[in-house]
Amino acid sequence: MENNKPNNENSQNQEQKPQRDRRPNPHRQNNSTSNPNRGPQEGATQSGNTNNQNQQRENRPNPNQNKKPHPNRKPNPNRSQNDGENSEGQSNKQNRNTNRNPNQNNRKPNPNQKSGNKPNNPNQNRSGGGGKGRGKRKNVTTVNDTMRASIEENARVKDATMNPWKQIDIASKGKIRFTPLGGLGEIGGNMAVLETETTAIVIDVGMSFPDETMHGVDILVPDFSYLHTIKDKIKAIVITHGHEDHIGAMPYLFKELKFPIYATPLALAMIENKFNEHGLKADTKYFNFVTLRKQYNIGDLQIEWMHNTHSIIDACSLAIETPAGTIIHTADFKIDHTPVDGYTMDLHRYAYYGAKGVLCLFSDSTNSHNPGFTKSETVVGRTFDALFDLAKGRVIMSTFSSNVHRIYQAMERGVKHGRKICVIGRSMERNVETNRALGFVDIADKHFIEVHEVPKYSENEILIVTTGSQGETMAALNRMASDEHRHIKLKPSDTVIISASAIPGNEASVSGLMNKLVKAGVTVRYKEIPDIHVSGHAGQEEQKLILRLVQPKFFLPVHGEYNHIAKHAQTAAACGVDERNILLMSDGDQVEITPKYLKKVKTVKTGKTYIDNQNNMTIEDDVVLDRQKLAEDGIINVVAQISQSTQKVVGKPVITTHGLVPDKEDKKFAKEIEVMLETMLLNMKPEALKNHKNIEDDIRGSIRKHVVRTKKRYPLIIPTIFIV
Ligand SMILES: [Zn+2]
């Protein structure tokens, strides 16, 4: 809020201190005709003037109709502390206003104080307001009633401008609920539900990546349990853009539940590719192609897709008009004023909704820690120019296959430098094809060649665009680096450009890739080159711009781990959102939002389903748990025959272990188990031997105790018992 301070402290104070007040208003207290706490200069106001001002106020159109200043408002010095729960409606606004009063004595008053001159307005002295020595001032502006009225008027307009949400009808009974089911407390896997009494929409259905403990798991999709419980209410799936972490789980959802899908053409084209892969071709009948700047009635919601700039084409934010008020959901964005295709973020629409009053803003927190602005995508094109100039042999460029502007810039530079383009890698080929078909990549066929044609050209006539910037084992670049690619063998004359940064969690695999590339002797161009990659997410200054355009009452930072959303909350508070009107959520938290309050009401089931990409099938949780156990603690197999009559092992039990004891100790360990088994059987009640399952459980329990005691490990134990 410092930004709004009318005085010059602001310019020196760069640090953002969260404050609750939107704006200190030095003139606010004039609403009260007899305010004992009023500062000396205000004390000069005569009661007649005040009446006059009140009169004027009533006669002019009020931009802030349901928020008339309270004529009887009393300043409350205690108000400067947080003394409420979530601020609520009218009373809250009064709090805000009274909050300002404790400051008023320190505040710089008005124009006549500048440059140390002393006021010569005799009224001020007469007021007894304590203006020491002011009567001696000469040659300064006289503050007359007209000027005071004008100041008052402007202050009111400013207040309305800074708090447009005050137009929201506080008496409205409208109520909505918002539940993130993925994407909070994590990067990726974005999915959320917005509900009214009668309607629910699902916003994005994204996937995320497993960590190294999830053996054999390729991707994670959100748990759809909650969607099953409200499926009759769900009217649509609303997609913001075509990134995997926003659409990647769509086919898995559609195998369980199907709803109409609303999205821009590229996002739908990318979903179609997925549906085709999963045998869901027929489900394209659920597609609804949206037009920007148009409202769609979905249940009792009106939704507009607003163009934004991001690291994929056709990305959007959402403006959702609900019975409780307007919600703006930025989704992933940055503010690129010079995007590759020339279509900037539609900031006018954010301003339009902001001016009408926005109840709640949900905004992208991914880059909350980055000060300043994220650079424009176009800077990478200039870097490519420089790198192409330097390259003597083949150029191999790798980036995210969805970053079409990046790919396009590389291709365009390649063509300019007389190179043929060879696209390698399944997702890269598919995305380039899709984007060319939709007209987003306008490069003629003649510039493209197939991979087997590469040797026909000289080295400086080749540009290879490929996948694998994250060091993925199966991706084309890694196979080239490991000398396992069928067509492309790396040569020392090659230049490999990695135009990406490692996604958190992928650092080790990227480092592994770098090692292989360096070993192969190629020239690697990576993050040490300035502007070889720029982020697709907003830095703090862009986050602030959105906060200021939208000026919401409530704020929910989304898309990010806890530290990202917490940082974004600080930025929002610095931009005038009341701290009590910001909530830090986790996946599964359900918040209720009304014009009066924002509060968490319950927690719903969330989680991840494991997917094996080889067959696109689910891996059950217990399978992954068993794999973790096997990987960390090994396995013990016990096969034995037990005589019911003697309670003894018949013959020799077969005891094998893997991943627990070294081979040379196998026999010794087997003997320990055998002895333990015999002792256990002798002490067992005869009827226990009648229940097959019980005896196996008992044996498992005994072995576990023994192994925990002797080895401090928890292996998988599989007894197979035959009772004879
Ligand atoms: Zn994205």
Side-chain angles (χ1 to χ4, degrees), residues 66-67 90 93 165-174 323-325 356 359 594-596:
N66 50 350
K67 311 294 156 213
Q90 199 73 36
K93 264 161 264 139
W165 52 267
K166 288 183 180 177
Q167 296 164 89
I168 299 167
D169 178 12
I170 206 79
S172 152
K173 293 276 177 277
K356 290 208 303 178
L359 182 63
T594 75
K596 288 201 179 93

Side-chain angles (χ1 to χ4, degrees), residues 669-701:
F669 182 75
K671 189 71 202 165
E672 277 172 39
I673 300 292
E674 202 181 320
V675 171
M676 206 199 68
L677 196 62
E678 275 164 3
T679 320
M680 186 195 134
L681 285 172
L682 281 177
N683 295 327
M684 199 173 257
K685 288 186 186 126
E687 59 269 24
L689 277 177
K690 292 196 174 103
N691 188 326
H692 204 258
K693 189 179 173 304
N694 282 359
I695 182 122
E696 285 188 351
D697 285 348
D698 286 349
I699 290 172
R700 189 181 291 113

Side-chain angles (χ1 to χ4, degrees), residues 241 243 245-246 310 332:
H241 64 288
H243 270 152
D245 58 340
H246 292 256
H310 183 40
D332 288 357

Side-chain angles (χ1 to χ4, degrees), residues 194 196 199 201 296-303 320-323:
L194 187 77
T196 66
T199 301
I201 55 167
Y296 291 83
N297 292 317
I298 297 174
D300 55 1
L301 302 171
Q302 286 84 49
I303 308 181
I320 307 171
E321 292 194 319
T322 79

